[in-house]
Amino acid sequence: MAATISRVSASKPSSEKADTKVWFYSLFLTLQYGAQPLISKRFVRREVIVTTSVMSCELVKVMCALILMAKEGSLKKLQKKWTLVGALTASGLPAAIYALQNSLLQISYKNLDSLTFSILNQTKLIFTALFTYIILRQKQSVQQIGALFLLIIAAVLLSIGEGSSKGSSTKNPDEVLFYGIVPLLVASVLSGLASALCQWASQVKKHPSYLMTVEMSIVGSLCLLASTFRSPDGEAIKQHGFFYGWTPLTLIPVTFNAVGGILVGLVTSYAGGVRKASSITLGFVIVSALLVTALLQFLFDGKPPSLYCLLALPLVVTSISIYQKYPYRVKKKEA
């Protein structure tokens, strides 16, 4: 009995410590996620070549992941187990997909306001649910399906509103639609597919998250590098140089973006192995980040949300809240 009590009292501080870390990392992830569109819009000039910013972000991710792996002592162990075939099998395809997705996001950043980008970016939840069902047979509850329909309504509302002349008075509506909304929606589809593939690699291949970050960043950078031989970005790099259009401030959104990917892994890790706990935490982050984006856009740009954003925001917040709160529960027969 005494031994049991001592075990409980010993585990309680460690649990409280883990909870503290979860909320600490969640706070930073909320600020990063909410501020990223605004920071990218202000500090990345339109002249910056998209491929260079994405490749630089991947390099920062590799450095952060290697530092964290060295700190936890897993770097030496992986030297014996790591194989090229295993890396390409687990990380090759999602890396190439994420490389294309990041390029599309960089294009979209420049042609949408921060809040519209953040709200419309949540459509990736729809495609993540779709591809996890196709690849992993991960089912959704009735409430989650309803939440996804709310998200679709918000996406359609924003697409029609912001792509119209009324929704975008300062920019060409065609430019907003074809260089802002369409790239972002395609990026959401790619994000859903890549997320499902990463989950498959994690569950089936038992691939560590930090190792996947390193492998995917390297493979993705190689894919982007190969694409420069026959792309407009490649010609621009040859003509103007790799860092054309860069300023010292450009490093801020690049680093922020890379750190955000690491923070997602830390939040998920410290939230524990319980899927519901990590989902609720990340759901809180997403909803809070939308509000942070709206506040920062109003404070720094003096731009209040458009009517379409005001109508779509509560739909997205409600959708994400329902989706995270009512996960699918496995029935006894299925178990």
Side-chain angles (χ1 to χ4, degrees), residues 58-72 74-75 209-215 217 258 262:
E58 298 302 325
L59 177 61
V60 176
K61 279 185 187 177
V62 170
M63 293 170 60
C64 291
L66 288 176
I67 291 171
L68 290 169
M69 288 172 67
K71 186 178 179 181
E72 67 180 15
S74 60
L75 197 58
S209 59
Y210 287 143
L211 179 60
M212 278 199 71
T213 298
V214 174
E215 292 172 349
S217 295
I262 301 296

Side-chain angles (χ1 to χ4, degrees), residues 112-121 153-164 166-168 176 181 290-291 293-295 297 303-317:
L112 290 176
D113 69 77
S114 303
L115 186 58
T116 302
F117 177 91
S118 294
I119 295 176
L120 203 56
N121 193 30
I153 293 171
V156 171
L157 182 66
L158 272 176
S159 300
I160 295 173
E162 296 299 321
S164 68
K166 292 181 181 179
S168 181
V176 172
I181 294 173
L290 289 174
L291 301 177
T293 302
L295 179 62
Q297 181 174 280
K303 182 179 179 182
S306 68
L307 176 61
Y308 299 101
C309 285
L310 291 174
L311 292 173
L313 183 59
L315 290 175
V316 174
V317 171

Side-chain angles (χ1 to χ4, degrees), residues 135-260:
I135 297 173
L136 295 169
R137 293 298 172 188
Q138 185 174 305
K139 297 181 180 180
Q140 310 293 316
S141 67
V142 175
Q143 294 91 335
Q144 286 180 320
I145 294 173
L148 292 176
F149 273 110
L150 283 179
L151 204 58
I152 292 172
I153 293 171
V156 171
L157 182 66
L158 272 176
S159 300
I160 295 173
E162 296 299 321
S164 68
S165 56
K166 292 181 181 179
S168 181
S169 58
T170 58
K171 288 187 177 181
N172 184 352
D174 291 337
E175 184 180 341
V176 172
L177 178 62
F178 292 108
Y179 295 98
I181 294 173
V182 172
L184 184 53
L185 291 177
V186 175
S188 293
V189 176
L190 295 176
S191 176
L193 176 58
S195 296
L197 291 172
C198 287
Q199 195 171 336
W200 171 82
S202 177
Q203 292 179 3
V204 179
K205 292 292 184 179
K206 306 296 181 184
H207 226 54
S209 59
Y210 287 143
L211 179 60
M212 278 199 71
T213 298
V214 174
E215 292 172 349
M216 288 172 60
S217 295
I218 292 174
V219 174
S221 297
L222 292 175
C223 291
L224 285 172
L225 190 62
S227 71
T228 57
F229 289 101
R230 291 295 182 90
S231 70
D233 278 9
E235 294 298 323
I237 292 172
K238 292 177 184 177
Q239 186 175 355
H240 302 291
F242 188 86
F243 293 106
Y244 176 69
W246 281 58
T247 66
L249 294 175
T250 309
L251 291 172
I252 297 176
V254 169
T255 306
F256 250 57
N257 200 4
V259 171

